[in-house]
Amino acid sequence: MRTVTNDLGDIAYPDEICFAFNPTYIKVTDCPALSLVTTVSNGEKTFPIETRCFSHTAIINISRALQLMFDVYNIVEKRSMKVSVDVSDGTHTFTFTSIAIWGNIAPGERFNGERVIRWFKNYPMKVSIFDGASFQEIEPVTGTVATLTPWDYTFDYTFHPASAQIVTCVEDNATDGVFLRWIDRHGRLQYWLFEKGVKEIKNDDGGQELTMNYVDKKGNSFRSIKRQQYFFSETKLNLCAPNVDEAEFNMLESILTSPVIDLYHKDAGVGWEPVVIDTSTSKRKVTIMQDFEFKILLPNTNAQML
């Protein structure tokens, strides 16, 4: 965290890069004011936060305000942004800026580090890189794609620049499978062509039982004949990435906690369609190469209704 001393007191505040889903705090000590008003803004949205001081100390959590800055209906296109934060006691104001990223990072993890990306040449995909200010989606090429400045995350929520890392692409000419993209925990778009497994369809009834006025050919009336008003079904599709190494498995695991997953329709001209991952337990073996398996829920199709 960065620190400064001014008329508001001693202030510890977020670094120039922060993740919206990590705890993001401003701590003011030796504060002479009774309360502070913190305003978080990106130029389009603004959120004020009022905090009472206790024993000349105020701790302001701006994480939720950072999350609300993002447009969840347009999150694939904009996953990082510059935010401005004002801390004021009504007389004095301290202002700082930070780059907020849609995602989170664990202590000890490296952000923007070295990666080897599987390039599925028969499907539309880009390579997500963070240039220090925002995410850029660049065309994949065989070999080195970009040289990046990574950041190491520590337990005090501080980023430390590390030595330069490279991103490389390895070609994959596979044509058949289920192609998905998702946002990983670090805000990057990831892509993978999964092998299709068993499709599971579970149906259930809905509405009411409707008594039918059924008369057979002999003129007999049967009032006990009924129809169900409607049925609906839930379709699950088993997917697998076979024989992946540890680095690929780590990347693929990020799909299990991603709320933004899209399925690509290659032949229907539909493009990307949102899907949901099935809630289940994923098992990981202690082996060098292994299969990554999971399920997705396909969108429901409206059924007939009586």
Side-chain angles (χ1 to χ4, degrees):
M1 296 182 72
R2 295 175 285 183
T3 58
V4 67
T5 299
N6 54 33
D7 293 325
L8 297 177
D10 298 327
I11 304 175
Y13 60 102
D15 280 295
E16 59 267 32
I17 298 174
C18 63
F19 283 83
F21 291 91
N22 277 109
T24 306
Y25 295 97
I26 304 168
K27 184 176 182 180
V28 184
T29 56
D30 293 330
C31 181
L34 296 177
S35 64
L36 298 173
V37 175
T38 303
T39 305
V40 185
S41 175
N42 65 355
E44 298 177 358
K45 299 179 181 179
T46 299
F47 295 99
I49 304 170
E50 184 172 358
T51 307
R52 302 288 292 183
C53 298
F54 179 75
S55 296
H56 303 288
T57 299
I59 299 177
I60 306 112
N61 184 353
I62 64 171
S63 298
R64 185 54 180 160
L66 295 178
Q67 296 162 20
L68 293 173
M69 290 291 167
F70 292 90
D71 180 2
V72 296
Y73 299 103
N74 194 41
I75 193 62
V76 171
E77 283 70 32
K78 191 169 185 179
R79 308 181 309 279
S80 63
M81 65 178 62
K82 185 176 182 179
V83 296
S84 177
V85 181
D86 295 338
V87 184
S88 176
D89 63 359
T91 303
H92 307 96
T93 300
F94 169 64
T95 301
F96 69 91
T97 60
S98 184
I99 303 297
I101 295 174
W102 175 270
N104 67 79
I105 191 169
E109 281 189 335
R110 170 165 288 184
F111 169 63
N112 221 32
E114 181 178 8
R115 287 183 291 153
V116 178
I117 297 174
R118 189 87 67 95
W119 176 19
F120 298 97
K121 296 191 68 175
N122 293 298
Y123 290 84
M125 64 175 289
K126 299 289 183 69
V127 178
S128 287
I129 64 167
F130 185 76
D131 62 6
S134 63
F135 281 106
Q136 303 295 328
E137 309 303 318
I138 63 176
E139 296 291 337
V141 295
T142 303
T144 301
V145 179
T147 301
L148 306 176
T149 300
W151 298 78
D152 289 330
Y153 195 53
T154 64
F155 284 93
D156 63 350
Y157 310 117
T158 302
F159 284 95
H160 297 292
S163 57
Q165 304 282 298
I166 62 172
V167 178
T168 57
C169 283
V170 178
E171 293 184 18
D172 190 315
N173 292 298
T175 57
D176 296 325
V178 177
F179 192 58
L180 299 182
R181 75 176 180 191
W182 67 96
I183 301 177
D184 70 8
R185 289 197 305 105
H186 293 174
R188 299 172 301 201
L189 283 177
Q190 301 285 6
Y191 302 81
W192 198 269
L193 182 63
F194 295 93
E195 290 189 3
K196 184 187 299 184
V198 176
K199 180 184 288 187
E200 305 172 14
I201 301 177
K202 177 185 176 182
N203 71 323
D204 203 352
D205 57 16
Q208 303 174 348
E209 287 187 339
L210 304 179
T211 301
M212 309 306 296
N213 185 19
Y214 175 70
V215 180
D216 66 10
K217 291 184 178 180
K218 296 180 180 181
N220 298 315
S221 177
F222 298 88
R223 299 294 296 176
S224 60
I225 303 298
K226 298 180 179 181
R227 296 187 191 275
Q228 189 66 34
Q229 189 173 11
Y230 67 89
F231 285 85
F232 61 91
S233 65
E234 180 183 75
T235 303
K236 297 181 182 180
L237 183 61
N238 289 265
L239 301 178
C240 176
N243 205 31
V244 296
D245 60 27
E246 182 178 8
E248 290 175 324
F249 199 100
N250 290 337
M251 182 274 290
L252 291 169
E253 272 189 326
S254 66
I255 197 174
L256 300 178
T257 55
S258 177
V260 183
I261 306 172
D262 295 324
L263 181 151
Y264 182 69
H265 292 268
K266 185 176 182 180
D267 301 321
V270 177
W272 295 102
E273 178 183 26
V275 294
V276 179
I277 198 164
D278 181 41
T279 54
S280 58
T281 301
S282 177
K283 298 180 180 179
R284 183 169 184 173
K285 302 175 183 178
V286 187
T287 58
I288 297 176
M289 306 294 288
Q290 59 185 298
D291 298 342
F292 178 78
E293 299 175 319
F294 68 107
K295 301 177 184 179
I296 60 172
L297 299 176
L298 297 178
N300 291 330
T301 301
N302 291 334
Q304 304 171 24
M305 180 182 295
L306 299 176

